Amino acid sequence: MRQYFRHLRDIQLLGLVCVTLVFIGLFLTAQLQQLEPKGSGWRRIDIELLQKRLESGDLSDHEAAWYHPEIEGEGDVRDGEPGR
């Protein structure tokens, strides 16, 4: 009789593990369905539209006028002394 109860507990544990795995699977599939709508996730660049805007002059094909590479010492602040 004791072996029967021990096997019954093993079966119950196995059932609990299976039910838990089913719930995890359902949760993950629900999360994947929420990621599918268009516009979510990583941004995608429309190369054709970008090329048209470059050709029309709406955009320029060079870096911004305000951008310049960092000059050594510029913006380097250590111990309260700029440019050190």
Side-chain angles (χ1 to χ4, degrees):
M1 190 73 167
R2 288 184 181 182
Q3 283 183 342
Y4 173 75
F5 286 121
R6 186 168 35 145
H7 291 299
L8 182 63
R9 283 189 221 137
D10 291 342
I11 292 172
Q12 288 174 342
L13 178 64
L14 184 61
L16 181 64
V17 168
C18 289
V19 168
T20 303
L21 289 176
V22 167
F23 280 128
I24 290 172
L26 291 173
F27 174 76
L28 290 176
T29 55
Q31 294 300 315
L32 285 176
Q33 289 174 355
Q34 290 179 358
L35 291 176
E36 286 181 11
K38 193 172 184 175
S40 66
W42 295 100
R43 292 183 179 183
R44 292 175 183 84
I45 297 174
D46 186 356
I47 301 295
E48 293 175 15
L49 179 63
L50 178 65
Q51 190 64 34
K52 287 178 186 176
R53 290 187 69 185
L54 283 172
E55 291 170 357
S56 71
D58 290 342
L59 298 174
S60 61
D61 58 354
H62 58 82
E63 59 197 26
W66 53 264
Y67 173 80
H68 58 86
E70 183 179 353
I71 301 170
E72 187 175 331
E74 181 180 277
D76 187 20
V77 179
R78 293 186 190 132
D79 299 327
E81 297 177 21
R84 186 176 141 189

Coordinates of all heavy atoms in Angstrom, one line a residue:
M1 N 0.8 -1.2 0.0 CA 0.0 0.0 0.0 C 0.9 1.3 0.0 O 0.5 2.2 -0.6 CB -0.9 -0.1 1.2 CG -2.0 1.0 1.2 SD -3.2 0.6 0.0 CE -4.5 1.7 0.5
R2 N 2.0 1.2 0.7 CA 2.9 2.4 0.8 C 3.5 2.7 -0.6 O 3.7 3.9 -0.9 CB 4.0 2.2 1.8 CG 3.5 2.2 3.2 CD 4.6 2.1 4.2 NE 4.1 2.2 5.5 CZ 4.8 2.1 6.6 NH1 6.1 2.0 6.5 NH2 4.3 2.1 7.8
Q3 N 3.8 1.6 -1.4 CA 4.4 1.9 -2.7 C 3.3 2.5 -3.6 O 3.7 3.4 -4.4 CB 4.8 0.6 -3.3 CG 6.1 0.0 -2.8 CD 6.5 -1.2 -3.5 OE1 5.7 -1.9 -4.1 NE2 7.8 -1.5 -3.4
Y4 N 2.1 2.2 -3.4 CA 1.0 2.8 -4.2 C 1.0 4.3 -4.0 O 0.9 5.1 -4.9 CB -0.3 2.2 -3.9 CG -1.5 2.9 -4.6 CD1 -1.7 2.7 -5.9 CD2 -2.3 3.7 -3.8 CE1 -2.8 3.3 -6.5 CE2 -3.4 4.3 -4.4 CZ -3.6 4.2 -5.8 OH -4.7 4.8 -6.4
F5 N 1.0 4.7 -2.7 CA 1.0 6.2 -2.4 C 2.3 6.9 -2.9 O 2.2 8.0 -3.3 CB 0.8 6.4 -0.9 CG -0.6 6.1 -0.4 CD1 -0.8 5.1 0.5 CD2 -1.7 6.8 -0.9 CE1 -2.1 4.9 1.0 CE2 -3.0 6.5 -0.5 CZ -3.2 5.6 0.4
R6 N 3.4 6.2 -2.8 CA 4.6 6.8 -3.3 C 4.5 7.0 -4.8 O 4.9 8.1 -5.4 CB 5.8 5.9 -3.0 CG 7.1 6.6 -3.3 CD 8.3 6.0 -2.8 NE 8.2 4.5 -2.7 CZ 9.2 3.7 -2.9 NH1 10.4 4.1 -3.2 NH2 9.0 2.4 -2.8
H7 N 4.0 6.0 -5.6 CA 3.8 6.2 -7.0 C 2.8 7.2 -7.3 O 2.9 7.9 -8.3 CB 3.5 4.8 -7.6 CG 4.6 3.8 -7.6 ND1 5.8 4.1 -8.2 CD2 4.7 2.6 -7.0 CE1 6.6 3.0 -8.1 NE2 5.9 2.1 -7.3
L8 N 1.7 7.3 -6.5 CA 0.7 8.3 -6.7 C 1.3 9.7 -6.6 O 1.0 10.6 -7.4 CB -0.4 8.1 -5.7 CG -1.6 9.1 -5.8 CD1 -2.3 8.9 -7.2 CD2 -2.6 8.8 -4.7
R9 N 2.2 9.9 -5.6 CA 2.8 11.2 -5.4 C 3.7 11.5 -6.6 O 3.8 12.7 -7.1 CB 3.7 11.2 -4.1 CG 2.8 11.4 -2.9 CD 3.7 11.6 -1.7 NE 3.2 10.9 -0.6 CZ 3.9 10.1 0.3 NH1 5.2 10.1 0.2 NH2 3.2 9.5 1.2
D10 N 4.4 10.5 -7.1 CA 5.3 10.7 -8.3 C 4.4 11.1 -9.5 O 4.8 12.0 -10.3 CB 6.1 9.4 -8.6 CG 7.1 9.1 -7.6 OD1 7.5 10.0 -6.8 OD2 7.6 8.0 -7.6
I11 N 3.3 10.5 -9.7 CA 2.4 10.8 -10.8 C 1.8 12.2 -10.6 O 1.7 13.0 -11.6 CB 1.3 9.8 -10.9 CG1 1.9 8.4 -11.4 CG2 0.2 10.2 -11.9 CD1 0.9 7.3 -11.3
Q12 N 1.5 12.6 -9.4 CA 1.0 13.9 -9.1 C 2.1 15.0 -9.4 O 1.8 16.0 -10.0 CB 0.5 14.1 -7.7 CG -0.8 13.3 -7.4 CD -1.1 13.4 -5.9 OE1 -0.3 13.6 -5.1 NE2 -2.4 13.1 -5.6
L13 N 3.3 14.7 -9.1 CA 4.4 15.6 -9.3 C 4.6 15.8 -10.8 O 4.8 16.9 -11.4 CB 5.7 15.2 -8.7 CG 6.9 16.1 -8.9 CD1 6.7 17.5 -8.4 CD2 8.1 15.4 -8.3
L14 N 4.6 14.6 -11.5 CA 4.7 14.7 -13.0 C 3.6 15.4 -13.6 O 3.8 16.2 -14.6 CB 4.8 13.2 -13.5 CG 5.0 13.1 -15.0 CD1 6.4 13.7 -15.4 CD2 4.9 11.6 -15.4
G15 N 2.4 15.3 -13.1 CA 1.2 16.0 -13.7 C 1.4 17.5 -13.4 O 1.1 18.3 -14.3
L16 N 1.9 17.9 -12.2 CA 2.1 19.3 -11.9 C 3.2 19.9 -12.8 O 3.0 21.0 -13.3 CB 2.5 19.4 -10.4 CG 2.8 20.9 -9.9 CD1 1.5 21.7 -10.0 CD2 3.4 20.8 -8.5
V17 N 4.2 19.2 -13.1 CA 5.3 19.6 -14.0 C 4.7 19.8 -15.4 O 5.0 20.8 -16.1 CB 6.5 18.7 -14.0 CG1 7.5 19.0 -15.1 CG2 7.2 18.7 -12.6
C18 N 3.9 18.9 -15.9 CA 3.3 19.0 -17.2 C 2.4 20.2 -17.3 O 2.4 20.9 -18.3 CB 2.6 17.7 -17.5 SG 3.7 16.3 -17.8
V19 N 1.6 20.4 -16.3 CA 0.6 21.5 -16.3 C 1.4 22.8 -16.3 O 1.1 23.8 -17.0 CB -0.3 21.5 -15.1 CG1 -1.1 22.8 -14.9 CG2 -1.3 20.3 -15.3
T20 N 2.5 22.9 -15.5 CA 3.3 24.1 -15.5 C 4.0 24.4 -16.8 O 4.0 25.5 -17.3 CB 4.4 23.9 -14.4 OG1 3.8 23.7 -13.1 CG2 5.3 25.2 -14.3
L21 N 4.4 23.3 -17.5 CA 5.0 23.5 -18.8 C 4.0 24.0 -19.9 O 4.3 24.8 -20.7 CB 5.7 22.2 -19.3 CG 7.0 21.8 -18.6 CD1 7.5 20.5 -19.0 CD2 8.1 22.9 -18.7
V22 N 2.8 23.5 -19.7 CA 1.7 23.9 -20.6 C 1.4 25.4 -20.4 O 1.3 26.2 -21.4 CB 0.4 23.1 -20.4 CG1 -0.8 23.7 -21.1 CG2 0.7 21.7 -21.0
F23 N 1.3 25.8 -19.2 CA 1.1 27.3 -18.9 C 2.3 28.1 -19.4 O 2.0 29.2 -19.9 CB 0.8 27.5 -17.4 CG -0.5 27.2 -17.0 CD1 -0.8 26.3 -15.9 CD2 -1.6 27.7 -17.6 CE1 -2.0 26.0 -15.5 CE2 -2.9 27.4 -17.2 CZ -3.1 26.5 -16.2
I24 N 3.5 27.7 -19.2 CA 4.6 28.4 -19.7 C 4.5 28.6 -21.2 O 4.8 29.6 -21.8 CB 5.9 27.8 -19.3 CG1 6.1 28.0 -17.8 CG2 7.1 28.4 -20.0 CD1 7.3 27.2 -17.2
G25 N 4.2 27.5 -21.9 CA 4.1 27.5 -23.4 C 3.0 28.4 -23.8 O 3.1 29.2 -24.8
L26 N 1.8 28.4 -23.1 CA 0.7 29.3 -23.5 C 1.1 30.8 -23.3 O 0.8 31.7 -24.1 CB -0.5 29.0 -22.7 CG -1.2 27.7 -23.0 CD1 -2.3 27.4 -22.0 CD2 -1.8 27.7 -24.4
F27 N 1.8 31.1 -22.2 CA 2.3 32.4 -21.9 C 3.3 32.9 -23.0 O 3.1 34.0 -23.5 CB 3.0 32.5 -20.6 CG 3.6 33.8 -20.3 CD1 2.8 34.9 -19.9 CD2 5.0 34.0 -20.4 CE1 3.4 36.1 -19.6 CE2 5.6 35.2 -20.1 CZ 4.8 36.3 -19.7
L28 N 4.2 32.0 -23.4 CA 5.2 32.4 -24.4 C 4.5 32.6 -25.8 O 4.9 33.6 -26.5 CB 6.3 31.4 -24.5 CG 7.2 31.4 -23.3 CD1 8.2 30.2 -23.5 CD2 7.9 32.7 -23.1
T29 N 3.6 31.8 -26.2 CA 2.9 32.0 -27.4 C 2.1 33.3 -27.4 O 2.0 34.0 -28.4 CB 2.0 30.8 -27.8 OG1 1.1 30.6 -26.7 CG2 2.8 29.6 -28.1
A30 N 1.5 33.6 -26.3 CA 0.7 34.9 -26.2 C 1.7 36.1 -26.3 O 1.3 37.1 -27.0 CB 0.0 35.0 -24.9
Q31 N 2.8 36.0 -25.8 CA 3.8 37.1 -25.9 C 4.3 37.2 -27.3 O 4.5 38.3 -27.8 CB 5.0 36.9 -24.9 CG 4.6 36.9 -23.4 CD 4.0 38.3 -23.1 OE1 4.5 39.3 -23.4 NE2 2.9 38.2 -22.3
L32 N 4.5 36.1 -28.0 CA 5.0 36.2 -29.4 C 3.9 36.8 -30.3 O 4.2 37.5 -31.2 CB 5.3 34.8 -29.9 CG 6.7 34.2 -29.4 CD1 6.8 32.8 -29.9 CD2 7.8 35.1 -29.8
Q33 N 2.6 36.5 -30.0 CA 1.6 37.1 -30.8 C 1.5 38.6 -30.6 O 1.1 39.4 -31.5 CB 0.2 36.5 -30.4 CG 0.1 35.1 -30.9 CD -1.2 34.4 -30.4 OE1 -1.9 35.0 -29.6 NE2 -1.4 33.2 -30.8
Q34 N 1.9 39.1 -29.5 CA 1.9 40.6 -29.2 C 3.0 41.3 -30.0 O 2.9 42.4 -30.3 CB 2.0 40.9 -27.7 CG 0.7 40.5 -27.0 CD 0.8 40.8 -25.5 OE1 1.9 41.3 -25.0 NE2 -0.2 40.6 -24.8
L35 N 4.1 40.5 -30.2 CA 5.2 41.1 -30.9 C 5.0 41.2 -32.4 O 5.7 41.9 -33.1 CB 6.5 40.3 -30.6 CG 7.0 40.4 -29.2 CD1 8.2 39.5 -29.0 CD2 7.4 41.8 -28.8
E36 N 4.1 40.4 -33.0 CA 3.9 40.3 -34.4 C 3.3 41.6 -35.1 O 3.6 41.8 -36.3 CB 3.0 39.1 -34.7 CG 3.7 37.8 -34.6 CD 2.8 36.6 -34.9 OE1 1.8 36.8 -35.5 OE2 3.2 35.5 -34.6
P37 N 2.5 42.4 -34.5 CA 2.0 43.5 -35.2 C 3.1 44.4 -35.9 O 4.2 44.6 -35.3 CB 1.2 44.4 -34.2 CG 0.9 43.4 -33.1 CD 2.1 42.4 -33.1
K38 N 2.7 44.9 -37.1 CA 3.7 45.7 -37.8 C 4.0 46.9 -37.1 O 3.2 47.6 -36.5 CB 3.1 46.0 -39.2 CG 4.2 46.6 -40.1 CD 3.6 46.7 -41.5 CE 4.7 47.1 -42.5 NZ 4.2 47.2 -43.8
G39 N 5.3 47.3 -37.1 CA 5.7 48.5 -36.4 C 6.4 48.3 -35.1 O 7.0 49.1 -34.5
S40 N 6.3 47.0 -34.6 CA 7.0 46.8 -33.4 C 8.3 46.1 -33.6 O 8.5 45.6 -34.7 CB 6.1 45.8 -32.5 OG 6.0 44.6 -33.1
G41 N 9.1 46.1 -32.6 CA 10.4 45.5 -32.8 C 11.5 46.5 -33.3 O 11.4 47.7 -33.1
W42 N 12.4 46.0 -34.1 CA 13.5 46.8 -34.6 C 13.0 47.7 -35.7 O 12.1 47.4 -36.4 CB 14.6 45.9 -35.1 CG 15.3 45.1 -34.0 CD1 15.0 43.8 -33.7 CD2 16.2 45.6 -33.1 NE1 15.8 43.4 -32.7 CE2 16.5 44.5 -32.2 CE3 16.8 46.8 -32.9 CZ2 17.4 44.6 -31.2 CZ3 17.7 46.9 -31.8 CH2 18.0 45.8 -31.0
R43 N 13.6 48.9 -35.8 CA 13.3 49.8 -36.9 C 13.8 49.3 -38.2 O 14.9 48.7 -38.2 CB 13.9 51.2 -36.6 CG 13.2 51.9 -35.4 CD 13.8 53.2 -35.3 NE 13.2 53.9 -34.1 CZ 13.4 55.1 -33.8 NH1 14.3 55.8 -34.5 NH2 12.8 55.7 -32.8
R44 N 13.1 49.5 -39.2 CA 13.5 49.1 -40.6 C 13.7 50.4 -41.4 O 12.8 51.2 -41.4 CB 12.6 48.1 -41.2 CG 12.6 46.8 -40.5 CD 11.5 45.9 -41.0 NE 11.4 44.6 -40.3 CZ 10.8 44.4 -39.2 NH1 10.1 45.4 -38.6 NH2 10.8 43.3 -38.6
I45 N 14.8 50.5 -42.1 CA 15.0 51.7 -42.9 C 14.5 51.4 -44.3 O 14.8 50.4 -44.9 CB 16.5 52.0 -43.0 CG1 17.0 52.3 -41.6 CG2 16.8 53.1 -43.9 CD1 18.5 52.5 -41.5
D46 N 13.7 52.3 -44.8 CA 13.1 52.2 -46.2 C 14.2 52.8 -47.1 O 14.2 54.1 -47.2 CB 11.8 52.9 -46.3 CG 11.1 52.7 -47.6 OD1 11.8 52.1 -48.5 OD2 10.0 53.2 -47.8
I47 N 15.0 52.0 -47.7 CA 16.1 52.5 -48.5 C 15.7 53.3 -49.7 O 16.2 54.3 -50.0 CB 17.0 51.3 -49.0 CG1 17.6 50.5 -47.8 CG2 18.2 51.8 -49.9 CD1 18.5 51.3 -46.9
E48 N 14.6 52.9 -50.4 CA 14.1 53.6 -51.5 C 13.6 55.0 -51.2 O 13.9 55.9 -51.9 CB 13.0 52.8 -52.2 CG 13.4 51.5 -52.8 CD 12.3 50.6 -53.3 OE1 11.2 51.2 -53.5 OE2 12.5 49.4 -53.6
L49 N 12.9 55.1 -50.1 CA 12.4 56.4 -49.7 C 13.6 57.3 -49.3 O 13.6 58.5 -49.6 CB 11.4 56.3 -48.5 CG 10.8 57.5 -47.9 CD1 10.0 58.3 -49.0 CD2 10.0 57.3 -46.7
L50 N 14.5 56.7 -48.6 CA 15.7 57.5 -48.2 C 16.4 58.0 -49.4 O 16.8 59.2 -49.5 CB 16.6 56.6 -47.3 CG 17.9 57.3 -46.9 CD1 17.7 58.4 -45.9 CD2 18.8 56.2 -46.2
Q51 N 16.6 57.2 -50.4 CA 17.3 57.6 -51.6 C 16.5 58.7 -52.4 O 17.1 59.7 -52.9 CB 17.5 56.4 -52.6 CG 18.4 56.6 -53.7 CD 19.8 56.9 -53.3 OE1 20.3 56.4 -52.3 NE2 20.5 57.8 -54.0
K52 N 15.2 58.6 -52.4 CA 14.4 59.6 -53.1 C 14.5 61.0 -52.3 O 14.6 62.0 -53.0 CB 12.9 59.2 -53.1 CG 12.6 58.1 -54.1 CD 11.1 57.7 -54.0 CE 10.8 56.6 -54.9 NZ 9.4 56.1 -54.8
R53 N 14.6 60.9 -51.0 CA 14.7 62.2 -50.2 C 16.1 62.8 -50.4 O 16.2 64.0 -50.4 CB 14.4 61.9 -48.8 CG 12.9 61.6 -48.6 CD 12.5 61.5 -47.1 NE 12.6 62.9 -46.5 CZ 12.4 63.1 -45.2 NH1 12.2 62.1 -44.4 NH2 12.6 64.3 -44.7
L54 N 17.1 61.9 -50.5 CA 18.4 62.5 -50.8 C 18.5 63.1 -52.2 O 19.1 64.2 -52.3 CB 19.5 61.3 -50.7 CG 19.9 60.8 -49.3 CD1 20.7 59.6 -49.4 CD2 20.6 61.9 -48.6
E55 N 17.9 62.5 -53.2 CA 17.9 63.0 -54.5 C 17.1 64.3 -54.7 O 17.5 65.2 -55.4 CB 17.4 62.0 -55.5 CG 18.4 60.8 -55.7 CD 17.8 59.7 -56.5 OE1 16.6 59.7 -56.9 OE2 18.5 58.7 -56.7
S56 N 16.0 64.4 -53.9 CA 15.2 65.6 -54.0 C 15.8 66.8 -53.2 O 15.4 67.9 -53.4 CB 13.8 65.3 -53.5 OG 13.8 65.1 -52.1
G57 N 16.7 66.5 -52.4 CA 17.4 67.6 -51.6 C 16.8 67.8 -50.2 O 17.2 68.7 -49.5
D58 N 15.8 67.0 -49.9 CA 15.2 67.1 -48.5 C 16.2 66.7 -47.5 O 16.2 67.2 -46.3 CB 14.0 66.2 -48.4 CG 12.8 66.7 -49.2 OD1 12.8 67.9 -49.6 OD2 11.9 65.9 -49.4
L59 N 17.1 65.8 -47.8 CA 18.2 65.4 -46.9 C 19.5 65.6 -47.6 O 19.6 65.7 -48.8 CB 18.0 63.9 -46.6 CG 16.8 63.5 -45.8 CD1 16.7 62.0 -45.7 CD2 16.7 64.1 -44.5
S60 N 20.5 65.8 -46.8 CA 21.9 65.9 -47.4 C 22.6 64.6 -47.2 O 22.4 63.9 -46.2 CB 22.6 67.1 -46.8 OG 22.8 66.9 -45.5
D61 N 23.6 64.3 -48.1 CA 24.3 63.1 -47.9 C 25.6 63.3 -47.2 O 26.6 62.5 -47.4 CB 24.5 62.4 -49.3 CG 25.3 63.3 -50.2 OD1 25.5 64.5 -49.9 OD2 25.6 62.8 -51.3
H62 N 25.7 64.4 -46.4 CA 26.9 64.6 -45.6 C 26.5 64.8 -44.1 O 25.3 65.0 -43.9 CB 27.7 65.8 -46.1 CG 27.0 67.1 -46.1 ND1 26.8 67.9 -45.0 CD2 26.3 67.7 -47.1 CE1 26.1 68.9 -45.4 NE2 25.7 68.8 -46.6
E63 N 27.4 64.7 -43.3 CA 27.1 64.8 -41.8 C 26.6 66.2 -41.5 O 26.8 67.1 -42.2 CB 28.3 64.4 -41.0 CG 29.5 65.3 -41.3 CD 30.8 64.7 -40.8 OE1 30.9 63.4 -40.7 OE2 31.7 65.4 -40.5
A64 N 26.0 66.3 -40.4 CA 25.3 67.5 -39.9 C 26.4 68.6 -39.7 O 27.5 68.3 -39.4 CB 24.6 67.3 -38.6
A65 N 26.0 69.9 -39.9 CA 26.9 71.0 -39.8 C 27.4 71.1 -38.3 O 28.5 71.6 -38.1 CB 26.2 72.3 -40.2
W66 N 26.6 70.7 -37.4 CA 27.0 70.9 -36.0 C 27.9 69.8 -35.5 O 28.5 69.8 -34.5 CB 25.7 70.9 -35.1 CG 24.8 69.8 -35.3 CD1 23.7 69.8 -36.1 CD2 24.9 68.5 -34.7 NE1 23.1 68.5 -36.1 CE2 23.8 67.7 -35.2 CE3 25.8 67.8 -33.8 CZ2 23.6 66.4 -34.9 CZ3 25.5 66.5 -33.5 CH2 24.5 65.8 -34.0
Y67 N 28.0 68.7 -36.3 CA 28.8 67.6 -35.9 C 30.3 67.8 -36.3 O 30.6 68.2 -37.4 CB 28.3 66.3 -36.6 CG 29.2 65.1 -36.3 CD1 29.2 64.4 -35.1 CD2 30.1 64.7 -37.3 CE1 30.0 63.3 -34.9 CE2 31.0 63.6 -37.0 CZ 30.9 62.9 -35.8 OH 31.7 61.9 -35.6
H68 N 31.2 67.5 -35.3 CA 32.6 67.5 -35.6 C 33.2 66.4 -34.8 O 32.8 66.2 -33.6 CB 33.2 68.8 -35.4 CG 33.1 69.4 -34.0 ND1 33.9 69.0 -33.0 CD2 32.1 70.1 -33.5 CE1 33.5 69.6 -31.9 NE2 32.4 70.3 -32.1
P69 N 34.3 65.8 -35.3 CA 34.9 64.7 -34.5 C 35.5 65.4 -33.2 O 35.9 66.6 -33.2 CB 36.1 64.2 -35.4 CG 35.7 64.7 -36.7 CD 34.9 65.9 -36.6
E70 N 35.6 64.6 -32.2 CA 36.2 65.1 -30.9 C 37.6 65.4 -31.1 O 38.4 64.7 -31.6 CB 36.0 64.0 -29.8 CG 36.5 64.5 -28.5 CD 36.3 63.5 -27.4 OE1 35.7 62.4 -27.6 OE2 36.8 63.7 -26.3
I71 N 38.0 66.6 -30.6 CA 39.4 67.1 -30.6 C 40.0 66.6 -29.3 O 39.3 66.7 -28.2 CB 39.4 68.6 -30.7 CG1 38.8 69.0 -32.1 CG2 40.9 69.1 -30.7 CD1 38.6 70.5 -32.2
E72 N 41.2 66.2 -29.3 CA 41.8 65.7 -28.1 C 41.8 66.7 -27.0 O 42.2 67.9 -27.2 CB 43.3 65.3 -28.4 CG 43.9 64.6 -27.2 CD 45.3 64.1 -27.5 OE1 45.6 63.8 -28.7 OE2 46.1 64.0 -26.6
G73 N 41.3 66.3 -25.9 CA 41.3 67.2 -24.7 C 39.9 68.0 -24.6 O 39.6 68.5 -23.6
E74 N 39.2 68.1 -25.7 CA 37.9 68.8 -25.7 C 36.9 67.9 -24.9 O 36.7 66.8 -25.2 CB 37.4 69.0 -27.1 CG 36.1 69.7 -27.2 CD 35.7 69.9 -28.6 OE1 36.2 70.9 -29.3 OE2 34.9 69.1 -29.1
G75 N 36.3 68.6 -24.0 CA 35.2 67.9 -23.2 C 35.8 66.9 -22.2 O 35.0 66.2 -21.5
D76 N 37.1 66.9 -22.0 CA 37.7 65.9 -21.1 C 37.8 66.7 -19.8 O 38.7 67.6 -19.7 CB 39.1 65.5 -21.6 CG 39.7 64.4 -20.8 OD1 38.9 63.8 -20.0 OD2 40.9 64.2 -20.8
V77 N 37.0 66.3 -18.8 CA 37.1 67.0 -17.5 C 37.5 66.0 -16.4 O 36.8 65.0 -16.2 CB 35.7 67.6 -17.2 CG1 35.8 68.3 -15.8 CG2 35.3 68.6 -18.2
R78 N 38.6 66.3 -15.8 CA 39.1 65.4 -14.7 C 39.5 66.3 -13.6 O 40.2 67.3 -13.8 CB 40.3 64.6 -15.1 CG 39.9 63.6 -16.2 CD 41.1 62.7 -16.5 NE 40.8 61.8 -17.6 CZ 41.6 61.7 -18.6 NH1 42.8 62.2 -18.6 NH2 41.3 60.9 -19.6
D79 N 39.1 66.0 -12.4 CA 39.4 66.8 -11.2 C 39.0 68.2 -11.3 O 39.7 69.1 -10.8 CB 40.9 66.6 -10.9 CG 41.3 65.2 -10.6 OD1 40.5 64.5 -10.1 OD2 42.5 64.8 -11.0
G80 N 38.0 68.5 -12.1 CA 37.5 69.9 -12.2 C 38.3 70.8 -13.1 O 38.1 72.0 -13.2
E81 N 39.3 70.2 -13.8 CA 40.1 71.0 -14.7 C 39.8 70.6 -16.1 O 40.2 69.6 -16.6 CB 41.6 70.8 -14.4 CG 42.0 71.3 -13.0 CD 43.4 71.0 -12.7 OE1 44.2 70.8 -13.7 OE2 43.8 70.9 -11.6
P82 N 39.1 71.5 -16.9 CA 38.8 71.1 -18.3 C 40.0 71.1 -19.2 O 41.0 71.9 -19.0 CB 37.8 72.2 -18.7 CG 38.0 73.3 -17.8 CD 38.5 72.8 -16.5
G83 N 40.0 70.2 -20.1 CA 41.1 70.2 -21.1 C 42.4 69.7 -20.6 O 43.5 70.0 -21.2
R84 N 42.5 69.0 -19.6 CA 43.7 68.5 -19.0 C 44.2 67.3 -19.7 O 43.6 66.4 -20.1 CB 43.6 68.3 -17.5 CG 44.8 68.0 -16.8 CD 44.6 67.9 -15.4 NE 45.4 66.8 -14.9 CZ 45.4 66.3 -13.7 NH1 44.5 66.7 -12.9 NH2 46.1 65.3 -13.4

